[in-house]
Amino acid sequence: MKEKFIITIISDDKRGLLNQFISIFNKRGFEIEGLNFSRTDQDDIVIITFELLLPVEEVATTLHKIEKIIEVYKVFATKEKECPLRKCSFFKVNKTFLSDTGRKLLIKHAAEITQVNNDSVVIEKLGTDNEINNLYRDLEEEYLVSYCKTTLVSERGQLYIHDI
């Protein structure tokens, strides 16, 4: 049975390294649902986070394959259920959103307006998939023009690169 895992890799920033990780997942048929690549305050060290569906019994083997790559300092996996995750989403809505109903939706969903254009408004919502989906449903029929969602932002705690 497949479950959603968050795999976090701390490594040197080397050309082609991301392809090596993706190749490992593709060869095993794992479905990548999200990817986040972030630079750190340490020169040439990056944090790469994958959100993927994979069988529980293959997690240890996959982590071991990744650990064997010379540039990798640390890799760990967390079940999505065990790690509070938030994502950033952006909703482009029509200008009629700027009514009392729209303002009530902003308050209800703890979202905020980040841009007002001539014909549309951009709303930002930081939250779990469920929270973002709830706002999506409330906007979908009357206001929604387009939508996108970023990958993961973990609230698990600070990750100190100096400890590697």
Side-chain angles (χ1 to χ4, degrees):
M1 183 175 106
K2 291 185 176 182
E3 285 192 49
K4 192 179 287 189
F5 282 86
I6 309 310
I7 294 184
T8 303
I9 304 165
I10 302 167
S11 71
D12 283 331
D13 184 13
K14 177 188 164 205
R15 185 180 302 263
L17 194 58
L18 189 56
N19 277 342
Q20 289 182 49
F21 301 140
I22 292 172
S23 177
I24 290 170
F25 302 140
N26 284 340
K27 284 179 184 175
R28 303 179 79 77
F30 301 155
E31 184 178 336
I32 299 172
E33 292 196 348
L35 166 65
N36 188 28
F37 179 93
S38 302
R39 299 199 178 280
T40 68
D41 61 342
Q42 301 294 307
D43 287 340
D44 298 326
I45 295 181
V46 295
I47 299 175
I48 303 168
T49 308
F50 288 93
E51 180 180 15
L52 1 105
L53 288 174
L54 64 150
V56 176
E57 60 274 6
E58 295 203 37
V59 173
T61 305
T62 303
L63 293 181
H64 182 69
K65 283 184 180 285
I66 294 170
E67 285 172 340
K68 289 169 77 175
I69 298 172
I70 293 170
E71 292 81 10
V72 172
Y73 294 107
K74 188 172 189 175
V75 61
F76 54 93
T78 309
K79 287 184 181 179
E80 184 190 42
K81 304 180 231 186
E82 297 170 359
C83 182
L85 298 173
R86 297 188 330 156
K87 297 181 181 182
C88 186
S89 58
F90 295 94
F91 300 85
K92 183 176 182 181
V93 295
N94 60 45
K95 199 83 174 224
T96 61
F97 180 81
L98 294 174
S99 65
D100 285 342
T101 306
R103 294 179 197 283
K104 287 177 185 174
L105 284 175
L106 286 176
I107 293 168
K108 174 184 174 184
H109 293 284
E112 62 183 57
I113 294 174
T114 58
Q115 187 175 356
V116 178
N117 302 316
N118 290 336
D119 60 344
S120 63
V121 176
V122 177
I123 299 168
E124 178 182 344
K125 168 68 180 154
L126 187 64
T128 63
D129 272 332
N130 192 41
E131 293 166 342
I132 290 168
N133 290 339
N134 287 339
L135 176 56
Y136 181 93
R137 280 191 290 279
D138 283 352
L139 296 173
E140 185 175 28
E141 288 184 30
E142 190 173 345
Y143 302 110
L144 192 62
V145 175
S146 63
Y147 155 80
C148 74
K149 179 172 50 174
T150 66
T151 55
L152 320 167
V153 180
S154 177
E155 292 183 356
R156 186 174 181 192
Q158 289 287 353
L159 180 63
Y160 296 100
I161 304 304
H162 304 346
D163 297 338
I164 298 175

